[in-house]
Structures are given as C-alpha cells and as structure tokens.
PDB file of all heavy atoms in Angstrom:
ATOM      1  N   ILE A   1     -98.902  34.782  95.501  1.00 97.00           N
ATOM      2  CA  ILE A   1     -98.291  33.822  94.584  1.00 97.00           C
ATOM      3  C   ILE A   1     -97.771  34.576  93.363  1.00 97.00           C
ATOM      4  O   ILE A   1     -98.435  35.475  92.832  1.00 97.00           O
ATOM      5  CB  ILE A   1     -99.322  32.762  94.150  1.00 97.00           C
ATOM      6  CG1 ILE A   1     -99.802  31.943  95.357  1.00 97.00           C
ATOM      7  CG2 ILE A   1     -98.739  31.850  93.069  1.00 97.00           C
ATOM      8  CD1 ILE A   1     -98.750  31.053  95.969  1.00 97.00           C
ATOM      9  N   GLU A   2     -96.598  34.207  92.902  1.00 97.00           N
ATOM     10  CA  GLU A   2     -95.996  34.839  91.723  1.00 97.00           C
ATOM     11  C   GLU A   2     -96.291  33.990  90.494  1.00 97.00           C
ATOM     12  O   GLU A   2     -95.628  32.992  90.211  1.00 97.00           O
ATOM     13  CB  GLU A   2     -94.495  35.008  91.928  1.00 97.00           C
ATOM     14  CG  GLU A   2     -94.163  35.982  93.060  1.00 97.00           C
ATOM     15  CD  GLU A   2     -92.679  36.104  93.328  1.00 97.00           C
ATOM     16  OE1 GLU A   2     -91.887  35.388  92.661  1.00 97.00           O
ATOM     17  OE2 GLU A   2     -92.291  36.895  94.208  1.00 97.00           O
ATOM     18  N   PHE A   3     -97.333  34.381  89.769  1.00 97.00           N
ATOM     19  CA  PHE A   3     -97.715  33.720  88.528  1.00 97.00           C
ATOM     20  C   PHE A   3     -96.956  34.339  87.357  1.00 97.00           C
ATOM     21  O   PHE A   3     -96.354  35.417  87.504  1.00 97.00           O
ATOM     22  CB  PHE A   3     -99.218  33.874  88.301  1.00 97.00           C
ATOM     23  CG  PHE A   3    -100.081  33.039  89.207  1.00 97.00           C
ATOM     24  CD1 PHE A   3    -100.818  33.628  90.217  1.00 97.00           C
ATOM     25  CD2 PHE A   3    -100.159  31.660  89.043  1.00 97.00           C
ATOM     26  CE1 PHE A   3    -101.628  32.872  91.050  1.00 97.00           C
ATOM     27  CE2 PHE A   3    -100.960  30.880  89.870  1.00 97.00           C
ATOM     28  CZ  PHE A   3    -101.695  31.488  90.876  1.00 97.00           C
ATOM     29  N   PRO A   4     -96.994  33.713  86.181  1.00 97.00           N
ATOM     30  CA  PRO A   4     -96.449  34.385  84.996  1.00 97.00           C
ATOM     31  C   PRO A   4     -97.096  35.764  84.843  1.00 97.00           C
ATOM     32  O   PRO A   4     -98.267  35.956  85.151  1.00 97.00           O
ATOM     33  CB  PRO A   4     -96.850  33.451  83.851  1.00 97.00           C
ATOM     34  CG  PRO A   4     -96.954  32.097  84.491  1.00 97.00           C
ATOM     35  CD  PRO A   4     -97.489  32.348  85.871  1.00 97.00           C
ATOM     36  N   GLU A   5     -96.319  36.711  84.360  1.00 95.00           N
ATOM     37  CA  GLU A   5     -96.780  38.101  84.315  1.00 95.00           C
ATOM     38  C   GLU A   5     -98.005  38.266  83.428  1.00 95.00           C
ATOM     39  O   GLU A   5     -98.094  37.699  82.335  1.00 95.00           O
ATOM     40  CB  GLU A   5     -95.664  39.009  83.812  1.00 95.00           C
ATOM     41  CG  GLU A   5     -95.997  40.482  83.855  1.00 95.00           C
ATOM     42  CD  GLU A   5     -94.814  41.351  83.465  1.00 95.00           C
ATOM     43  OE1 GLU A   5     -93.733  40.811  83.216  1.00 95.00           O
ATOM     44  OE2 GLU A   5     -95.003  42.595  83.409  1.00 95.00           O
ATOM     45  N   TYR A   6     -98.942  39.049  83.915  1.00 94.00           N
ATOM     46  CA  TYR A   6    -100.177  39.313  83.173  1.00 94.00           C
ATOM     47  C   TYR A   6     -99.897  40.120  81.911  1.00 94.00           C
ATOM     48  O   TYR A   6     -99.022  40.985  81.866  1.00 94.00           O
ATOM     49  CB  TYR A   6    -101.152  40.106  84.048  1.00 94.00           C
ATOM     50  CG  TYR A   6    -102.280  40.728  83.260  1.00 94.00           C
ATOM     51  CD1 TYR A   6    -103.395  39.983  82.904  1.00 94.00           C
ATOM     52  CD2 TYR A   6    -102.204  42.061  82.847  1.00 94.00           C
ATOM     53  CE1 TYR A   6    -104.431  40.544  82.164  1.00 94.00           C
ATOM     54  CE2 TYR A   6    -103.246  42.634  82.111  1.00 94.00           C
ATOM     55  CZ  TYR A   6    -104.346  41.878  81.771  1.00 94.00           C
ATOM     56  OH  TYR A   6    -105.360  42.432  81.036  1.00 94.00           O
ATOM     57  N   SER A   7    -100.673  39.858  80.870  1.00 94.00           N
ATOM     58  CA  SER A   7    -100.745  40.717  79.698  1.00 94.00           C
ATOM     59  C   SER A   7    -102.151  40.613  79.140  1.00 94.00           C
ATOM     60  O   SER A   7    -102.865  39.629  79.378  1.00 94.00           O
ATOM     61  CB  SER A   7     -99.729  40.299  78.619  1.00 94.00           C
ATOM     62  OG  SER A   7    -100.103  39.054  78.046  1.00 94.00           O
ATOM     63  N   VAL A   8    -102.565  41.620  78.415  1.00 91.00           N
ATOM     64  CA  VAL A   8    -103.885  41.580  77.773  1.00 91.00           C
ATOM     65  C   VAL A   8    -103.971  40.383  76.841  1.00 91.00           C
ATOM     66  O   VAL A   8    -104.997  39.691  76.767  1.00 91.00           O
ATOM     67  CB  VAL A   8    -104.131  42.898  77.015  1.00 91.00           C
ATOM     68  CG1 VAL A   8    -105.421  42.811  76.207  1.00 91.00           C
ATOM     69  CG2 VAL A   8    -104.180  44.076  77.982  1.00 91.00           C
ATOM     70  N   GLU A   9    -102.877  40.116  76.130  1.00 96.00           N
ATOM     71  CA  GLU A   9    -102.871  38.999  75.189  1.00 96.00           C
ATOM     72  C   GLU A   9    -103.024  37.667  75.899  1.00 96.00           C
ATOM     73  O   GLU A   9    -103.650  36.749  75.374  1.00 96.00           O
ATOM     74  CB  GLU A   9    -101.569  39.013  74.379  1.00 96.00           C
ATOM     75  CG  GLU A   9    -101.418  40.199  73.446  1.00 96.00           C
ATOM     76  CD  GLU A   9    -101.055  41.493  74.169  1.00 96.00           C
ATOM     77  OE1 GLU A   9    -100.591  41.413  75.329  1.00 96.00           O
ATOM     78  OE2 GLU A   9    -101.241  42.570  73.583  1.00 96.00           O
ATOM     79  N   CYS A  10    -102.457  37.550  77.102  1.00 96.00           N
ATOM     80  CA  CYS A  10    -102.580  36.314  77.866  1.00 96.00           C
ATOM     81  C   CYS A  10    -104.040  35.979  78.134  1.00 96.00           C
ATOM     82  O   CYS A  10    -104.429  34.808  78.121  1.00 96.00           O
ATOM     83  CB  CYS A  10    -101.825  36.443  79.181  1.00 96.00           C
ATOM     84  SG  CYS A  10    -102.232  35.209  80.418  1.00 96.00           S
ATOM     85  N   TYR A  11    -104.847  36.998  78.372  1.00 94.00           N
ATOM     86  CA  TYR A  11    -106.274  36.786  78.633  1.00 94.00           C
ATOM     87  C   TYR A  11    -107.068  36.535  77.347  1.00 94.00           C
ATOM     88  O   TYR A  11    -108.109  35.872  77.381  1.00 94.00           O
ATOM     89  CB  TYR A  11    -106.855  37.993  79.365  1.00 94.00           C
ATOM     90  CG  TYR A  11    -106.806  37.914  80.875  1.00 94.00           C
ATOM     91  CD1 TYR A  11    -105.769  37.274  81.547  1.00 94.00           C
ATOM     92  CD2 TYR A  11    -107.799  38.504  81.647  1.00 94.00           C
ATOM     93  CE1 TYR A  11    -105.726  37.216  82.925  1.00 94.00           C
ATOM     94  CE2 TYR A  11    -107.771  38.450  83.034  1.00 94.00           C
ATOM     95  CZ  TYR A  11    -106.728  37.804  83.669  1.00 94.00           C
ATOM     96  OH  TYR A  11    -106.695  37.742  85.056  1.00 94.00           O
ATOM     97  N   ASN A  12    -106.608  37.094  76.242  1.00 92.00           N
ATOM     98  CA  ASN A  12    -107.424  37.088  75.023  1.00 92.00           C
ATOM     99  C   ASN A  12    -106.934  36.175  73.916  1.00 92.00           C
ATOM    100  O   ASN A  12    -107.696  35.866  72.997  1.00 92.00           O
ATOM    101  CB  ASN A  12    -107.520  38.515  74.472  1.00 92.00           C
ATOM    102  CG  ASN A  12    -108.216  39.458  75.432  1.00 92.00           C
ATOM    103  OD1 ASN A  12    -109.196  39.077  76.070  1.00 92.00           O
ATOM    104  ND2 ASN A  12    -107.729  40.685  75.538  1.00 92.00           N
ATOM    105  N   ASP A  13    -105.689  35.732  73.989  1.00 96.00           N
ATOM    106  CA  ASP A  13    -105.107  34.936  72.908  1.00 96.00           C
ATOM    107  C   ASP A  13    -104.481  33.675  73.497  1.00 96.00           C
ATOM    108  O   ASP A  13    -103.422  33.740  74.121  1.00 96.00           O
ATOM    109  CB  ASP A  13    -104.048  35.753  72.169  1.00 96.00           C
ATOM    110  CG  ASP A  13    -103.464  35.024  70.964  1.00 96.00           C
ATOM    111  OD1 ASP A  13    -103.761  33.824  70.780  1.00 96.00           O
ATOM    112  OD2 ASP A  13    -102.698  35.669  70.217  1.00 96.00           O
ATOM    113  N   PRO A  14    -105.112  32.519  73.293  1.00 96.00           N
ATOM    114  CA  PRO A  14    -104.569  31.283  73.867  1.00 96.00           C
ATOM    115  C   PRO A  14    -103.131  30.986  73.452  1.00 96.00           C
ATOM    116  O   PRO A  14    -102.391  30.336  74.200  1.00 96.00           O
ATOM    117  CB  PRO A  14    -105.530  30.204  73.350  1.00 96.00           C
ATOM    118  CG  PRO A  14    -106.811  30.929  73.105  1.00 96.00           C
ATOM    119  CD  PRO A  14    -106.405  32.291  72.623  1.00 96.00           C
ATOM    120  N   SER A  15    -102.715  31.454  72.295  1.00 96.00           N
ATOM    121  CA  SER A  15    -101.363  31.137  71.825  1.00 96.00           C
ATOM    122  C   SER A  15    -100.289  31.884  72.602  1.00 96.00           C
ATOM    123  O   SER A  15     -99.108  31.526  72.527  1.00 96.00           O
ATOM    124  CB  SER A  15    -101.233  31.454  70.331  1.00 96.00           C
ATOM    125  OG  SER A  15    -101.292  32.857  70.100  1.00 96.00           O
ATOM    126  N   VAL A  16    -100.684  32.918  73.345  1.00 95.00           N
ATOM    127  CA  VAL A  16     -99.726  33.700  74.119  1.00 95.00           C
ATOM    128  C   VAL A  16     -99.615  33.115  75.524  1.00 95.00           C
ATOM    129  O   VAL A  16    -100.611  32.785  76.152  1.00 95.00           O
ATOM    130  CB  VAL A  16    -100.168  35.174  74.217  1.00 95.00           C
ATOM    131  CG1 VAL A  16     -99.257  35.957  75.155  1.00 95.00           C
ATOM    132  CG2 VAL A  16    -100.190  35.807  72.833  1.00 95.00           C
ATOM    133  N   GLY A  17     -98.381  32.968  76.011  1.00 94.00           N
ATOM    134  CA  GLY A  17     -98.186  32.442  77.349  1.00 94.00           C
ATOM    135  C   GLY A  17     -97.615  31.038  77.338  1.00 94.00           C
ATOM    136  O   GLY A  17     -97.325  30.462  76.285  1.00 94.00           O
ATOM    137  N   ILE A  18     -97.462  30.464  78.525  1.00 95.00           N
ATOM    138  CA  ILE A  18     -96.769  29.181  78.632  1.00 95.00           C
ATOM    139  C   ILE A  18     -97.621  28.015  78.163  1.00 95.00           C
ATOM    140  O   ILE A  18     -97.090  26.954  77.843  1.00 95.00           O
ATOM    141  CB  ILE A  18     -96.286  28.938  80.075  1.00 95.00           C
ATOM    142  CG1 ILE A  18     -97.471  28.787  81.027  1.00 95.00           C
ATOM    143  CG2 ILE A  18     -95.382  30.063  80.543  1.00 95.00           C
ATOM    144  CD1 ILE A  18     -97.042  28.371  82.413  1.00 95.00           C
ATOM    145  N   ASN A  19     -98.931  28.182  78.109  1.00 97.00           N
ATOM    146  CA  ASN A  19     -99.822  27.147  77.572  1.00 97.00           C
ATOM    147  C   ASN A  19    -100.368  27.642  76.240  1.00 97.00           C
ATOM    148  O   ASN A  19    -101.220  28.539  76.209  1.00 97.00           O
ATOM    149  CB  ASN A  19    -100.961  26.859  78.539  1.00 97.00           C
ATOM    150  CG  ASN A  19    -101.855  25.720  78.063  1.00 97.00           C
ATOM    151  OD1 ASN A  19    -101.862  25.358  76.886  1.00 97.00           O
ATOM    152  ND2 ASN A  19    -102.630  25.146  78.980  1.00 97.00           N
ATOM    153  N   PRO A  20     -99.904  27.068  75.125  1.00 96.00           N
ATOM    154  CA  PRO A  20    -100.315  27.580  73.816  1.00 96.00           C
ATOM    155  C   PRO A  20    -101.759  27.281  73.458  1.00 96.00           C
ATOM    156  O   PRO A  20    -102.255  27.751  72.421  1.00 96.00           O
ATOM    157  CB  PRO A  20     -99.354  26.872  72.856  1.00 96.00           C
ATOM    158  CG  PRO A  20     -99.010  25.597  73.553  1.00 96.00           C
ATOM    159  CD  PRO A  20     -98.970  25.939  75.015  1.00 96.00           C
ATOM    160  N   ASP A  21    -102.428  26.517  74.289  1.00 96.00           N
ATOM    161  CA  ASP A  21    -103.802  26.109  73.986  1.00 96.00           C
ATOM    162  C   ASP A  21    -104.845  26.732  74.902  1.00 96.00           C
ATOM    163  O   ASP A  21    -106.026  26.379  74.820  1.00 96.00           O
ATOM    164  CB  ASP A  21    -103.922  24.581  74.070  1.00 96.00           C
ATOM    165  CG  ASP A  21    -103.001  23.872  73.095  1.00 96.00           C
ATOM    166  OD1 ASP A  21    -102.931  24.308  71.925  1.00 96.00           O
ATOM    167  OD2 ASP A  21    -102.331  22.906  73.501  1.00 96.00           O
ATOM    168  N   ALA A  22    -104.432  27.626  75.788  1.00 97.00           N
ATOM    169  CA  ALA A  22    -105.383  28.167  76.756  1.00 97.00           C
ATOM    170  C   ALA A  22    -105.059  29.612  77.108  1.00 97.00           C
ATOM    171  O   ALA A  22    -103.890  29.983  77.221  1.00 97.00           O
ATOM    172  CB  ALA A  22    -105.395  27.322  78.028  1.00 97.00           C
ATOM    173  N   ALA A  23    -106.097  30.405  77.285  1.00 97.00           N
ATOM    174  CA  ALA A  23    -105.943  31.756  77.817  1.00 97.00           C
ATOM    175  C   ALA A  23    -105.896  31.699  79.344  1.00 97.00           C
ATOM    176  O   ALA A  23    -106.076  30.643  79.944  1.00 97.00           O
ATOM    177  CB  ALA A  23    -107.107  32.634  77.353  1.00 97.00           C
ATOM    178  N   TYR A  24    -105.623  32.816  79.962  1.00 97.00           N
ATOM    179  CA  TYR A  24    -105.576  32.969  81.423  1.00 97.00           C
ATOM    180  C   TYR A  24    -104.445  32.175  82.076  1.00 97.00           C
ATOM    181  O   TYR A  24    -104.498  31.864  83.256  1.00 97.00           O
ATOM    182  CB  TYR A  24    -106.914  32.585  82.064  1.00 97.00           C
ATOM    183  CG  TYR A  24    -108.077  33.326  81.457  1.00 97.00           C
ATOM    184  CD1 TYR A  24    -108.982  32.686  80.618  1.00 97.00           C
ATOM    185  CD2 TYR A  24    -108.242  34.691  81.696  1.00 97.00           C
ATOM    186  CE1 TYR A  24    -110.036  33.381  80.039  1.00 97.00           C
ATOM    187  CE2 TYR A  24    -109.297  35.389  81.127  1.00 97.00           C
ATOM    188  CZ  TYR A  24    -110.184  34.721  80.290  1.00 97.00           C
ATOM    189  OH  TYR A  24    -111.232  35.413  79.717  1.00 97.00           O
ATOM    190  N   ASP A  25    -103.387  31.897  81.316  1.00 97.00           N
ATOM    191  CA  ASP A  25    -102.237  31.181  81.875  1.00 97.00           C
ATOM    192  C   ASP A  25    -101.218  32.185  82.426  1.00 97.00           C
ATOM    193  O   ASP A  25    -100.021  32.132  82.121  1.00 97.00           O
ATOM    194  CB  ASP A  25    -101.602  30.262  80.825  1.00 97.00           C
ATOM    195  CG  ASP A  25    -101.301  30.961  79.504  1.00 97.00           C
ATOM    196  OD1 ASP A  25    -101.873  32.035  79.255  1.00 97.00           O
ATOM    197  OD2 ASP A  25    -100.500  30.415  78.716  1.00 97.00           O
ATOM    198  N   CYS A  26    -101.703  33.090  83.263  1.00 97.00           N
ATOM    199  CA  CYS A  26    -100.867  34.134  83.852  1.00 97.00           C
ATOM    200  C   CYS A  26    -101.576  34.670  85.086  1.00 97.00           C
ATOM    201  O   CYS A  26    -102.690  34.251  85.419  1.00 97.00           O
ATOM    202  CB  CYS A  26    -100.627  35.275  82.853  1.00 97.00           C
ATOM    203  SG  CYS A  26    -102.137  36.090  82.278  1.00 97.00           S
ATOM    204  N   GLY A  27    -100.933  35.600  85.769  1.00 95.00           N
ATOM    205  CA  GLY A  27    -101.530  36.194  86.954  1.00 95.00           C
ATOM    206  C   GLY A  27    -102.604  37.210  86.608  1.00 95.00           C
ATOM    207  O   GLY A  27    -102.916  37.451  85.432  1.00 95.00           O
ATOM    208  N   LYS A  28    -103.166  37.813  87.626  1.00 93.00           N
ATOM    209  CA  LYS A  28    -104.194  38.827  87.440  1.00 93.00           C
ATOM    210  C   LYS A  28    -103.540  40.181  87.145  1.00 93.00           C
ATOM    211  O   LYS A  28    -102.407  40.431  87.549  1.00 93.00           O
ATOM    212  CB  LYS A  28    -105.066  38.938  88.701  1.00 93.00           C
ATOM    213  CG  LYS A  28    -105.785  37.656  89.096  1.00 93.00           C
ATOM    214  CD  LYS A  28    -106.538  37.856  90.409  1.00 93.00           C
ATOM    215  CE  LYS A  28    -107.071  36.544  90.970  1.00 93.00           C
ATOM    216  NZ  LYS A  28    -108.193  36.009  90.212  1.00 93.00           N
ATOM    217  N   PRO A  29    -104.251  41.053  86.463  1.00 92.00           N
ATOM    218  CA  PRO A  29    -103.706  42.388  86.217  1.00 92.00           C
ATOM    219  C   PRO A  29    -103.663  43.213  87.498  1.00 92.00           C
ATOM    220  O   PRO A  29    -104.348  42.917  88.472  1.00 92.00           O
ATOM    221  CB  PRO A  29    -104.701  42.991  85.220  1.00 92.00           C
ATOM    222  CG  PRO A  29    -105.973  42.252  85.474  1.00 92.00           C
ATOM    223  CD  PRO A  29    -105.585  40.863  85.871  1.00 92.00           C
ATOM    224  N   VAL A  30    -102.838  44.220  87.485  1.00 93.00           N
ATOM    225  CA  VAL A  30    -102.777  45.225  88.552  1.00 93.00           C
ATOM    226  C   VAL A  30    -103.014  46.571  87.889  1.00 93.00           C
ATOM    227  O   VAL A  30    -102.502  46.834  86.798  1.00 93.00           O
ATOM    228  CB  VAL A  30    -101.407  45.210  89.255  1.00 93.00           C
ATOM    229  CG1 VAL A  30    -101.299  46.359  90.248  1.00 93.00           C
ATOM    230  CG2 VAL A  30    -101.175  43.881  89.952  1.00 93.00           C
ATOM    231  N   GLY A  31    -103.809  47.412  88.527  1.00 95.00           N
ATOM    232  CA  GLY A  31    -104.060  48.701  87.898  1.00 95.00           C
ATOM    233  C   GLY A  31    -105.069  49.533  88.647  1.00 95.00           C
ATOM    234  O   GLY A  31    -105.414  49.232  89.795  1.00 95.00           O
ATOM    235  N   PRO A  32    -105.566  50.575  88.016  1.00 97.00           N
ATOM    236  CA  PRO A  32    -106.434  51.533  88.706  1.00 97.00           C
ATOM    237  C   PRO A  32    -107.795  50.932  89.068  1.00 97.00           C
ATOM    238  O   PRO A  32    -108.240  49.938  88.498  1.00 97.00           O
ATOM    239  CB  PRO A  32    -106.609  52.662  87.684  1.00 97.00           C
ATOM    240  CG  PRO A  32    -105.520  52.476  86.686  1.00 97.00           C
ATOM    241  CD  PRO A  32    -105.248  51.007  86.642  1.00 97.00           C
ATOM    242  N   ILE A  33    -108.440  51.569  90.011  1.00 97.00           N
ATOM    243  CA  ILE A  33    -109.859  51.364  90.274  1.00 97.00           C
ATOM    244  C   ILE A  33    -110.576  52.549  89.638  1.00 97.00           C
ATOM    245  O   ILE A  33    -110.287  53.701  89.943  1.00 97.00           O
ATOM    246  CB  ILE A  33    -110.151  51.280  91.780  1.00 97.00           C
ATOM    247  CG1 ILE A  33    -109.420  50.056  92.377  1.00 97.00           C
ATOM    248  CG2 ILE A  33    -111.644  51.198  92.040  1.00 97.00           C
ATOM    249  CD1 ILE A  33    -109.572  49.920  93.882  1.00 97.00           C
ATOM    250  N   TRP A  34    -111.505  52.245  88.722  1.00 98.00           N
ATOM    251  CA  TRP A  34    -112.123  53.255  87.880  1.00 98.00           C
ATOM    252  C   TRP A  34    -113.502  53.655  88.389  1.00 98.00           C
ATOM    253  O   TRP A  34    -114.157  52.914  89.127  1.00 98.00           O
ATOM    254  CB  TRP A  34    -112.266  52.730  86.449  1.00 98.00           C
ATOM    255  CG  TRP A  34    -110.995  52.272  85.822  1.00 98.00           C
ATOM    256  CD1 TRP A  34    -110.487  51.005  85.804  1.00 98.00           C
ATOM    257  CD2 TRP A  34    -110.048  53.075  85.113  1.00 98.00           C
ATOM    258  NE1 TRP A  34    -109.289  50.962  85.128  1.00 98.00           N
ATOM    259  CE2 TRP A  34    -108.998  52.216  84.689  1.00 98.00           C
ATOM    260  CE3 TRP A  34    -109.994  54.432  84.781  1.00 98.00           C
ATOM    261  CZ2 TRP A  34    -107.908  52.680  83.961  1.00 98.00           C
ATOM    262  CZ3 TRP A  34    -108.908  54.886  84.048  1.00 98.00           C
ATOM    263  CH2 TRP A  34    -107.878  54.012  83.656  1.00 98.00           C
ATOM    264  N   LYS A  35    -113.970  54.823  87.934  1.00 98.00           N
ATOM    265  CA  LYS A  35    -115.328  55.300  88.165  1.00 98.00           C
ATOM    266  C   LYS A  35    -116.042  55.338  86.816  1.00 98.00           C
ATOM    267  O   LYS A  35    -115.474  55.837  85.830  1.00 98.00           O
ATOM    268  CB  LYS A  35    -115.302  56.704  88.778  1.00 98.00           C
ATOM    269  CG  LYS A  35    -114.507  56.809  90.068  1.00 98.00           C
ATOM    270  CD  LYS A  35    -114.122  58.237  90.408  1.00 98.00           C
ATOM    271  CE  LYS A  35    -113.103  58.807  89.448  1.00 98.00           C
ATOM    272  NZ  LYS A  35    -112.529  60.108  89.893  1.00 98.00           N
ATOM    273  N   VAL A  36    -117.256  54.822  86.759  1.00 98.00           N
ATOM    274  CA  VAL A  36    -117.999  54.813  85.499  1.00 98.00           C
ATOM    275  C   VAL A  36    -119.419  55.307  85.743  1.00 98.00           C
ATOM    276  O   VAL A  36    -119.906  55.331  86.874  1.00 98.00           O
ATOM    277  CB  VAL A  36    -118.037  53.409  84.846  1.00 98.00           C
ATOM    278  CG1 VAL A  36    -116.626  52.900  84.589  1.00 98.00           C
ATOM    279  CG2 VAL A  36    -118.826  52.430  85.706  1.00 98.00           C
TER     280      VAL A  36
END
C-alpha cells in the first residue's frame, strides 16, 4: 500500500502530515537493519 511518505516528524509531531491532530499519519520507514 502506498501511504503518505514517512518522516521522523510524522511519527513525533501531530501537526505534521495530512492529519494535524495525530501522529503516525504516514507509512512506515524504510532503512537499515542494525546491530546493537
């Protein structure tokens, strides 16, 4: 599914994205698998 593009702000700032009142209004991030 093609959701609105992910950004760190989308997850952390409700004012960012298509829903100004909620976070997570975007797709999931894509990136590395890390070792810790």
Side-chain angles (χ1 to χ4, degrees):
I1 297 292
E2 295 177 357
F3 287 108
E5 186 175 357
Y6 165 82
S7 69
V8 173
E9 294 76 18
C10 164
Y11 269 33
N12 297 320
D13 184 352
S15 68
V16 174
I18 66 173
N19 184 341
D21 300 316
Y24 307 107
D25 51 342
C26 60
K28 300 176 190 288
V30 173
I33 297 177
W34 304 93
K35 304 161 291 190
V36 302

